[in-house]
Amino acid sequence: MSEFLPEELAVEILARLSMKDLARCRCVCKTWRDLINHRGFAARYRDISPTRFVSVYDKSFYLLDVDGKNMVIKNPHKLEFPLDQAMIDESTCVLHCHGTFCVTLRNHTLIVWNPYSNQFKIVPNPGMYRDSNILGFGYDRVSNDYKLVTFIDKLSSSRAQVFEFRTGSWIESVQVPCPDWHYRDRVGTFLDQYIYWIAYRSNVDRFILCFNLSTYEYWKLALPVYNQGITCSWLGVTSQKLCVIEYEPFEKEIRVSVMEKTGSWNTIICLSVSDFIYVQDRKWDYQVEFVSLTKNNGLFVTFTGYHYDGFETEAEEREKRKMFLYKISDNTFEQFRLCNSLAGSRFLGEYVETLVIVDRIFI
């Protein structure tokens, strides 16, 4: 790059800048622009960026750093939401793809929003009228287009609706013959060109629904055998593999399984709640509230503990919250604490910064 600054060192310096600073550096010279735009730089930037989660509190969105350096999260980054904050309510959820959010708002409004460029686009409602309508947001590499997908219930069936950002319109797609399917979480998990949800019709009929963003086809995948009857399950991605995170509330165990190329499941983590909670705290009944794998293959878990020692205890003293990051690589646990001003925040999912340019969404 120059005799004074080797390219390898320049990459390490630039990769530690914020997205806004990188945008300025792109304009410094052609050499820096080409370096920042290189695919290898984007991968390095993603690898060393801190682990962040998006949360909502008091009708505002925050990014919380969970990287093992600061055990107390004191200065969360408040995102400047481009619309009226009154549209954010308890049913609000966030989907994420390539650094861009899809946010559900009051009255079933959908907005796609890049929190760093503050570009946004309101997506027309295809007919959603319930907070339980599932949603997926992802990138279809075949058509080079970003897409949203939801299922709209009819009298005897459901129809998949796909929003193509390239055309700016919803396409009615495949018919789903079972409108009585229910879903563990309305937010789908994106991997490659597929969206996944955990679905069920009863405690013994549980499966993963997979939707192809390119062909608009769907099919059912089997869950791990021991998942049947477990009520608390989440989907995630680790090492570019689909995984299921399960919490068994009676045994108080957290189990993570990954799907191999053969379609079989392989358990990679099995932890007890007692691995997280100190002995002196075990008089509280702790239950898992939120759990997610991180981009660095850690496991982030939040617990809510309940104390039932008499009715005269103040409400805030009967409930306690704890947050942990379990590092799989070295089998260690780190506890985090939120500052008092964000004690009631609700975690919505991990946010991974990316240098992928998604301007085509906002055209």
Side-chain angles (χ1 to χ4, degrees):
M1 188 167 184
S2 82
E3 58 179 317
F4 303 107
L5 187 62
E7 182 174 313
E8 296 79 6
L9 181 57
V11 167
E12 292 303 310
I13 294 173
L14 292 171
R16 286 162 172 77
L17 299 180
S18 68
M19 296 282 286
K20 290 184 178 180
D21 288 337
L22 277 179
R24 298 187 185 99
C25 289
R26 273 192 173 109
C27 302
V28 171
C29 63
K30 182 178 183 300
T31 302
W32 281 20
R33 184 190 64 195
D34 292 343
L35 182 63
I36 294 171
N37 289 343
H38 191 273
R39 182 178 300 178
F41 179 82
R44 180 59 179 157
Y45 188 83
R46 179 187 183 277
D47 289 343
I48 68 173
S49 60
T51 300
R52 289 193 173 112
F53 282 86
V54 59
S55 68
V56 61
Y57 178 72
D58 194 24
K59 297 186 180 298
S60 296
F61 293 107
Y62 293 86
L63 284 182
L64 309 179
D65 285 359
V66 183
D67 57 9
K69 296 177 183 178
N70 299 305
M71 297 298 102
V72 180
I73 304 174
K74 296 180 179 179
N75 300 305
H77 175 55
K78 183 178 180 180
L79 299 176
E80 297 299 325
F81 190 62
L83 300 181
D84 186 355
Q85 290 179 299
M87 298 183 70
I88 302 171
D89 61 16
E90 293 182 356
S91 66
T92 292
C93 63
V94 172
L95 298 87
H96 171 255
C97 179
H98 292 171
T100 298
F101 293 143
C102 174
V103 184
T104 66
L105 300 171
R106 188 184 299 274
N107 298 324
H108 312 292
T109 301
L110 289 175
I111 176 178
V112 180
W113 165 46
N114 187 299
Y116 280 95
S117 67
N118 220 29
Q119 292 173 292
F120 72 94
K121 181 175 186 175
I122 296 177
V123 178
N125 188 329
M128 292 187 300
Y129 60 93
R130 297 186 307 186
D131 292 336
S132 59
N133 285 108
I134 61 173
L135 282 168
F137 178 39
Y139 173 68
D140 173 20
R141 60 181 178 226
V142 175
S143 63
N144 190 26
D145 191 19
Y146 289 87
K147 297 178 180 179
L148 290 170
V149 60
T150 186
F151 286 8
I152 303 298
D153 295 339
K154 306 294 183 180
L155 289 177
S156 58
S157 65
S158 295
R159 281 278 184 182
Q161 303 279 340
V162 181
F163 185 81
E164 301 175 340
F165 283 90
R166 183 177 56 183
T167 63
S169 60
W170 288 93
I171 306 297
E172 187 173 276
S173 182
V174 64
Q175 177 176 314
V176 180
C178 298
D180 58 340
W181 286 351
H182 303 282
Y183 300 91
R184 171 64 181 84
D185 188 349
R186 69 179 303 200
V187 175
T189 297
F190 170 62
L191 175 62
D192 293 330
Q193 61 190 53
Y194 304 97
I195 307 288
Y196 301 89
W197 299 267
I198 293 179
Y200 61 94
R201 298 181 71 183
S202 67
N203 283 338
V204 296
D205 184 14
R206 296 162 56 84
F207 54 92
I208 295 175
L209 179 66
C210 173
F211 187 86
N212 189 318
L213 287 175
S214 178
T215 64
Y216 298 165
E217 298 174 313
Y218 79 92
W219 56 90
K220 296 162 66 175
L221 301 174
L223 282 161
V225 173
Y226 42 76
N227 186 280
Q228 304 301 328
I230 293 178
T231 56
C232 302
S233 302
W234 298 264
L235 291 175
V237 175
T238 180
S239 301
Q240 289 303 299
K241 293 181 179 180
L242 183 70
C243 68
V244 174
I245 309 167
E246 304 160 310
Y247 172 60
E248 216 299 320
F250 296 105
E251 298 294 332
K252 291 188 180 294
E253 286 186 346
I254 300 171
R255 184 186 294 112
V256 180
S257 304
V258 298
M259 176 175 278
E260 304 295 346
K261 292 181 179 180
T262 59
S264 61
W265 292 96
N266 178 31
T267 300
I268 60 171
I269 299 174
C270 188
L271 298 169
S272 170
V273 172
S274 61
D275 293 327
F276 295 87
I277 306 301
Y278 294 120
V279 173
Q280 60 266 31
D281 255 346
R282 292 178 189 170
K283 63 182 180 180
W284 295 72
D285 179 22
Y286 281 96
Q287 300 292 338
V288 172
E289 178 185 79
F290 173 83
V291 58
S292 174
L293 283 160
T294 70
K295 67 180 180 67
N296 296 322
N297 293 333
L299 188 69
F300 182 72
V301 186
T302 67
F303 296 92
T304 299
Y306 302 93
H307 191 217
Y308 304 104
D309 186 16
F311 293 97
E312 296 182 1
T313 308
E314 295 294 331
E316 59 270 20
E317 296 177 358
R318 295 199 302 267
E319 186 174 310
K320 186 184 291 188
R321 197 179 193 193
K322 290 182 178 293
M323 301 184 301
F324 294 88
L325 178 65
Y326 170 63
K327 293 187 175 181
I328 302 173
S329 59
D330 54 8
N331 193 32
T332 58
F333 299 83
E334 294 177 342
Q335 184 175 356
F336 292 83
R337 293 178 176 84
L338 283 173
C339 58
N340 292 335
S341 60
L342 286 176
S345 62
R346 176 167 60 96
F347 284 83
L348 301 177
E350 187 183 14
Y351 176 72
V352 179
E353 290 183 319
T354 177
L355 300 179
V356 176
I357 299 174
V358 293
D359 288 343
R360 65 175 64 89
I361 289 180
F362 305 103
I363 296 176

